[in-house]
Amino acid sequence: MRMIPLLMTAAVCAVASPALAEQKALVAECTGSGARFFLSDLTVSEASVSAGTNVPSSPDGVLIIGVGEKPYWSFAGRKQIDRDCGGDGQDEIELFPGGLQPRDGNWRTVVKATRMEGCPEMLASAMAAQNKGQQTTTRRVSFPKPFDPNKLPRDFNPGHSWSAAGDNRWTASIFTQGVDYGAEGAQKTDVRLTMELVSETEIRNTGSVKMSLPEFAQKVMNISGDCRVITDSVSTWLGD
């Protein structure tokens, strides 16, 4: 991340009322056969930044998420949201979403080579020159019970603050900034991590830096849209 030009350093500024800034976001995860409703650890304004949406105008909004779908805020009732997600109109809110428990024992973590999407050639070339490729480490881990990424050993989680972002999925915001150039557009940077407990023997992590540039900067760098620098890792259980 030290190689990222200062031109790409930015901030997302969510404007919200004090009430919305403190209120926890209600999330509906569309599964295709209904919706899972749960209360996020993120506030409404934090969830808006995380999802890349505007802050809702009303505290009654529900953040709709789903595989392959862009998140958005809905003001329909929970029964209607469930029907729109393919369900029969249930509106129950899960108090404790998730519940998988990874096994204690020896785990192998494979950190894959960093990849880029939509980035300028000069950054891609610099990253490729320093990319060490796939890296593997093995360690013994005793997981907190019940599983909580905020209570993981420091070598597995070096001090990040994780918030629930779905079923057995968490996100940690590392850095968010931006500059508004008015009519010329905005420059934004969002650095975050995601963790997914796939099963009791597999954990996936992704670190991403998303950079959005105003149109004049995109033309200079010969790109269009966002530049993403992504590093994926997979941890698998080897045995006791």
Side-chain angles (χ1 to χ4, degrees):
M1 284 182 278
R2 290 192 295 269
M3 296 181 294
I4 298 172
L6 291 178
L7 178 62
M8 294 184 174
T9 306
V12 177
C13 298
V15 179
S17 68
L20 287 178
E22 297 299 326
Q23 178 177 309
K24 298 298 184 182
L26 179 60
V27 180
E29 181 179 15
C30 276
T31 65
S33 58
R36 293 181 52 256
F37 297 99
F38 62 92
L39 201 61
S40 173
D41 289 341
L42 299 176
T43 65
V44 170
S45 56
E46 290 170 340
S48 298
V49 172
S50 176
T53 69
N54 293 327
V55 177
S57 59
S58 166
D60 298 326
V62 179
L63 182 62
I64 312 297
I65 63 174
V67 178
E69 297 292 336
K70 184 176 180 180
Y72 66 94
W73 291 94
S74 172
F75 298 98
R78 294 199 300 273
K79 291 182 182 295
Q80 184 58 51
I81 292 174
D82 184 75
R83 294 188 188 98
D84 292 342
C85 291
D88 56 7
Q90 77 85 27
D91 62 354
E92 181 180 355
I93 298 175
E94 295 183 10
L95 298 180
F96 304 101
L100 280 178
Q101 181 66 41
R103 296 183 180 182
D104 292 344
N106 295 309
W107 285 71
R108 178 177 59 210
T109 298
V110 177
V111 181
K112 300 180 180 179
T114 298
R115 55 192 172 90
M116 296 189 205
E117 297 176 355
C119 296
E121 183 60 33
M122 64 177 182
L123 179 58
S125 298
M127 183 70 76
Q130 298 191 29
N131 205 328
K132 298 179 180 179
Q134 185 169 287
Q135 302 177 55
T136 303
T137 58
T138 302
R139 55 193 157 184
R140 184 168 184 81
V141 185
S142 295
F143 292 97
K145 298 176 181 58
F147 179 76
D148 181 349
N150 290 297
K151 298 179 181 178
L152 285 171
R154 294 286 291 185
D155 64 333
F156 212 93
N157 175 31
H160 303 310
S161 179
W162 296 90
S163 299
D167 192 10
N168 298 302
R169 190 172 184 273
W170 297 264
T171 183
S173 178
I174 307 302
F175 178 77
T176 303
Q177 278 193 344
V179 178
D180 190 349
Y181 292 103
E184 295 181 332
Q187 174 181 314
K188 305 175 183 178
T189 298
D190 182 46
V191 182
R192 67 180 50 252
L193 303 175
T194 60
M195 178 186 295
E196 182 182 6
L197 181 54
V198 180
S199 70
E200 61 181 10
T201 60
E202 181 178 344
I203 299 173
R204 296 179 184 175
N205 285 270
T206 297
S208 68
V209 181
K210 183 177 78 170
M211 294 159 284
S212 303
L213 298 175
E215 289 188 8
F216 73 89
Q218 292 183 31
K219 291 179 180 178
V220 170
M221 296 185 179
N222 194 30
I223 62 173
S224 60
D226 298 335
C227 163
R228 296 175 183 267
V229 180
I230 304 167
T231 303
D232 299 309
S233 69
V234 179
S235 298
T236 52
W237 182 75
L238 299 177
D240 294 328

